């Protein structure tokens, strides 16, 4: 507020009334503006729920073309993980850091040469380093084989090949909730030959040259956390919904698998490689799919294929290609704002290492120069709340234990084509406990590492991928 104004004694009563009204309106407008630039959060709502409460309605969710998305560690997952096996938030963030380093390694110019797999590759671990971690957060249920076997798979835009564990497990299979798929029990299963073009394509999809066992193509993929899947490359009937079935879908039938996949049966690859699900189903869906990640692990979202019923309110920006990472969905972020004010970050800083959007990375990674500006602006507007100790990679945390409600500044990302994407309140914060609530952003090691737009900041948005037109769309309030 400005300095106090002394009223002239000659003002009439009517003029005085008008003057007072103007001051009141000015104050109201100031409060309204401040309110519009912040999220008010009930602290009790930050505590995790043990009850699955999916939204009553879901715009765009059509069971004819959509799969339900659930958080693999939440009460909606029904994977019934033992409490001792559910990772802590510190462990989740550590795995996330490993994934990010894997992505950076894959994109590094000095990446080592592809390792050729041995003839008995079905029983050997590929030594290629630099693939992404396979332990993403969100799962969907798909059908495989004839008769259909329902399998819960992690979906990942940063991976290309789809795979599931298969009987017999020649070396090992990790524990999964669904029965392990048995190729011998399916009338539509067939192996892919070593001489086929599909087998040759594995090199770009997995980062490993394929192997060969008795003329059958052998795939192998290792993730940055040492998780891996090795087995026969095959064709099978894929059932996405009761109305969407694809014959001869190429997938990995893993007979030697180890990893931290949280009880899921494997992975659904949504990347840009020609072996990914969007590419294999391009004739029907034109490489268009969308998803909405729920606001919390106790709620649900969706993964939808095709553009039927796509909302006109979706705002589109352009997709680009990252050199050395053609399977990733490249994006261009040109600005950021905190509390309604754009930050003094040049577009060249945000573009220095390129940028991607990734459903499997938890925390958005910014160039350290940009993160420093974001952190400073956020801390300035949160300086009336007591800070808490850092949580792993998250260094801006607060103790809300003595508050019933808190106000946090809104954050938006700005993309090419004049697209502003406001981040949901639950996408700004990462909650370990009420006494340790952190800003859900982190900085890369240097400004030339690729910027990664992670899944925490994508919560409640409908994110639309149009691979044919090379466009990426956003719609707020996408899950409910």
């Amino acid at each position: 507020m400005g300095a106090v104004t002394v009223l002239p004694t000659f003002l009439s009563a009517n003029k005085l009334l008008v003057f007072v009204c103007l001051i009141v309106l000015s104050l109201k407008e100031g409060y309204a503006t401040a309110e519009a630039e912040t999220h008010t959060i009930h602290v009790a709502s930050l505590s995790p729920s043990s009850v699955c409460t999916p939204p009553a309605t879901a715009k765009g969710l059509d069971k004819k073309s959509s799969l339900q998305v659930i958080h693999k560690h939440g009460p909606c997952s029904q994977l019934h993980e033992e409490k001792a096996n559910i990772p802590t938030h510190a462990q989740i963030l550590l795995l996330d850091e490993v994934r990010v380093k894997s992505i950076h390694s894959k994109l590094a110019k000095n990446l080592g040469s592809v390792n050729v797999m041995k003839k008995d590759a079905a029983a050997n671990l590929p030594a290629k380093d630099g693939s992404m971690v396979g332990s993403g957060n969100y799962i969907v249920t798909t059908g495989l084989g004839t008769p259909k076997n329902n399998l819960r798979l992690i979906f990942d835009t940063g991976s290309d090949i789809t795979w599931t564990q298969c009987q017999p497990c020649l070396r090992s299979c990790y524990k999964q909730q669904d029965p392990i798929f048995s190729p011998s029990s399916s009338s539509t299963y067939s192996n892919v030959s070593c001489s086929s073009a599909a087998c040759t394509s594995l090199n770009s999809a997995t980062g490993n040259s394929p192997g060969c066992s008795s003329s059958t193509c052998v795939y192998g993929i290792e993730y940055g956390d040492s998780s891996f899947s090795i087995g026969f490359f095959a064709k099978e009937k894929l059932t996405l919904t009761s109305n969407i079935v694809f014959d001869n879908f190429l997938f990995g039938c893993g007979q030697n698998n180890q990893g931290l996949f949280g009880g899921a049966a494997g992975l659904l690859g949504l990347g840009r490689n020609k072996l990914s699900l969007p590419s294999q189903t391009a004739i029907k869906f034109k490489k268009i799919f969308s998803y909405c990640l729920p606001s919390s692990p106790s709620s649900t979202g969706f993964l939808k294929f095709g553009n039927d019923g796509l909302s006109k309110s979706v705002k589109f920006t352009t997709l680009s290609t990252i050199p050395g990472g053609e399977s990733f969905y490249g994006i261009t972020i040109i600005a950021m704002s905190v509390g309604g004010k754009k930050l003094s970050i040049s577009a060249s800083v945000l573009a220095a290492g390129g940028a991607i959007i990734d459903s499997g990375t938890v925390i958005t990674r910014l160039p350290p120069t940009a993160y420093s500006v974001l952190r400073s602006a956020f801390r300035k507007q949160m300086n009336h709340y007591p800070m808490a100790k850092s949580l792993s990679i998250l260094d801006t945390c607060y103790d809300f234990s003595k508050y019933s409600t808190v106000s946090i500044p809104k954050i938006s990302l700005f993309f090419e084509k004049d697209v502003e994407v406001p981040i949901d309140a639950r996408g700004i914060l990462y909650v370990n406990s009420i006494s340790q609530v952190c800003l859900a952003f982190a900085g890369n090691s240097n400004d030339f590492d690729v910027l990664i737009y992670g899944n925490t900041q994508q919560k409640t948005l409908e994110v639309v991928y149009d691979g044919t037109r090379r466009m990426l769309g956003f719609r707020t309030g996408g899950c409910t």
Side-chain angles (χ1 to χ4, degrees):
M1 293 180 63
V4 175
T5 303
V6 179
L7 294 178
T9 56
F10 54 82
L11 276 178
S12 67
N14 287 340
K15 288 182 178 180
L16 178 60
L17 179 61
V18 171
F19 188 84
V20 171
C21 287
L22 287 174
I23 292 177
V24 171
L25 286 173
S26 178
L27 289 172
K28 284 185 176 180
E29 286 176 4
Y31 288 132
T33 301
E35 185 177 332
E37 295 169 354
T38 61
H39 293 288
T40 299
I41 300 172
H42 292 278
V43 172
S45 70
L46 297 175
S47 298
S49 172
S50 59
V51 179
C52 179
T53 53
T57 59
K59 294 178 181 179
L61 180 55
D62 179 353
K63 291 183 179 179
K64 293 180 180 180
S65 61
S66 303
L67 304 177
Q68 188 179 63
V69 167
I70 55 180
H71 195 288
K72 72 178 182 181
H73 299 309
C76 299
S77 74
Q78 300 179 339
L79 290 179
H80 304 298
E81 290 181 291
E82 297 176 8
K83 272 195 172 181
N85 295 330
I86 297 177
T88 64
H89 287 295
Q91 289 171 330
I92 290 171
L93 293 173
L94 177 61
L95 283 175
D96 197 47
E97 184 69 356
V98 174
R99 178 184 177 96
V100 168
K101 288 181 177 179
S102 299
I103 293 174
H104 290 161
S105 175
K106 183 175 182 179
L107 295 176
K109 292 181 180 179
N110 60 352
L111 190 64
S113 59
V114 173
N115 190 356
V116 178
M117 297 175 67
K118 299 177 181 178
K119 186 176 181 180
D120 58 345
N124 289 275
L125 176 66
K128 175 73 178 341
D129 177 46
S131 295
M132 281 62 62
V133 174
S135 49
N137 293 41
Y138 297 96
I139 59 176
V140 293
T141 300
T142 60
L144 193 67
T146 306
K148 182 183 70 169
N149 294 256
N150 285 327
L151 301 170
R152 279 166 281 195
L153 305 176
I154 297 165
F155 79 88
D156 187 1
T157 60
S159 297
D160 292 306
I161 187 173
T162 295
W163 62 266
T164 188
Q165 298 195 111
C166 286
Q167 296 285 7
C169 296
L170 297 182
R171 281 286 182 89
S172 67
C173 282
Y174 62 84
K175 185 178 180 181
Q176 69 177 55
Q177 184 63 28
D178 300 312
I180 295 177
F181 181 70
S182 175
S184 62
S185 300
S186 173
S187 62
T188 47
Y189 177 92
S190 63
N191 286 322
V192 170
S193 70
C194 300
S195 59
S196 67
C199 186
T200 304
S201 298
L202 281 169
N203 198 326
S204 62
T206 66
N208 287 284
S209 293
C212 192
S213 178
S214 302
S215 76
T216 297
C217 183
V218 176
Y219 80 96
I221 184 165
E222 182 181 14
Y223 300 97
D225 63 349
S226 297
S227 301
F228 63 86
S229 178
I230 305 168
F232 296 116
F233 199 44
K235 294 180 180 180
E236 185 54 285
K237 178 178 286 187
L238 176 71
T239 302
L240 294 177
T241 71
S242 58
N243 294 327
I244 303 175
V245 179
F246 294 96
D247 294 320
N248 299 315
F249 179 77
L250 294 163
F251 79 109
C253 197
Q255 276 101 13
N256 185 15
N257 319 278
Q258 289 183 15
L260 304 171
F261 298 101
L267 189 145
L268 192 70
L270 297 178
R272 301 174 84 173
N273 186 273
K274 60 184 177 182
L275 291 182
S276 71
L277 175 60
S279 294
Q280 288 197 57
T281 60
I283 293 178
K284 181 174 180 63
F285 295 132
K286 298 179 176 61
K287 296 185 181 180
I288 298 173
F289 67 94
S290 63
Y291 58 71
C292 186
L293 305 180
S295 60
S296 72
S298 60
S299 190
T300 62
F302 64 83
L303 171 63
K304 180 180 178 180
F305 301 94
N307 60 359
D308 288 346
L310 192 64
S311 172
K312 293 181 180 179
S313 61
V314 175
K315 296 180 179 179
F316 283 95
T317 184
T318 53
L319 281 171
S320 59
T321 301
I322 301 295
E326 290 75 13
S327 292
F328 291 115
Y329 293 94
I331 56 176
T332 303
I333 297 177
I334 58 175
M336 302 180 67
S337 68
V338 174
K341 296 180 179 180
K342 284 192 177 180
L343 301 175
S344 56
I345 304 171
S346 70
S348 61
V349 167
L350 293 169
I356 63 172
I357 183 170
D358 181 34
S359 70
T361 296
V362 179
I363 300 297
T364 291
R365 299 308 204 284
L366 300 172
T369 298
Y371 175 66
S372 178
V373 176
L374 170 71
R375 177 180 59 190
S376 178
F378 188 82
R379 285 183 175 183
K380 185 176 181 180
Q381 297 191 42
M382 294 286 287
N383 61 7
H384 48 291
Y385 295 113
M387 294 195 72
K389 65 179 181 179
S390 298
L391 173 65
S392 183
I393 58 173
L394 306 179
D395 63 7
T396 299
C397 304
Y398 298 89
D399 181 355
F400 293 153
S401 58
K402 294 182 179 179
Y403 298 86
S404 58
T405 62
V406 294
S407 294
I408 63 168
K410 293 182 177 181
I411 297 179
S412 285
L413 302 179
F414 296 83
F415 294 79
E416 279 187 333
K417 293 189 176 293
D418 197 30
V419 173
E420 178 183 357
V421 178
I423 298 173
D424 185 79
R426 295 298 291 265
I428 296 173
L429 303 175
Y430 191 92
V431 183
N432 185 38
S433 66
I434 298 303
S435 59
Q436 194 178 26
V437 182
C438 306
L439 173 65
F441 289 81
N444 280 325
S445 298
N446 65 74
D447 282 348
F448 295 97
D449 287 332
V450 68
L451 184 160
I452 305 174
Y453 180 17
N455 63 43
T456 297
Q457 284 68 39
Q458 297 174 46
K459 287 179 180 179
T460 74
L461 293 168
E462 181 176 9
V463 186
V464 183
Y465 295 73
D466 187 335
T468 300
R469 294 194 305 141
R470 300 171 66 88
M471 303 292 284
L472 180 72
F474 298 96
R475 179 173 68 89
T476 57
C479 293
T480 57

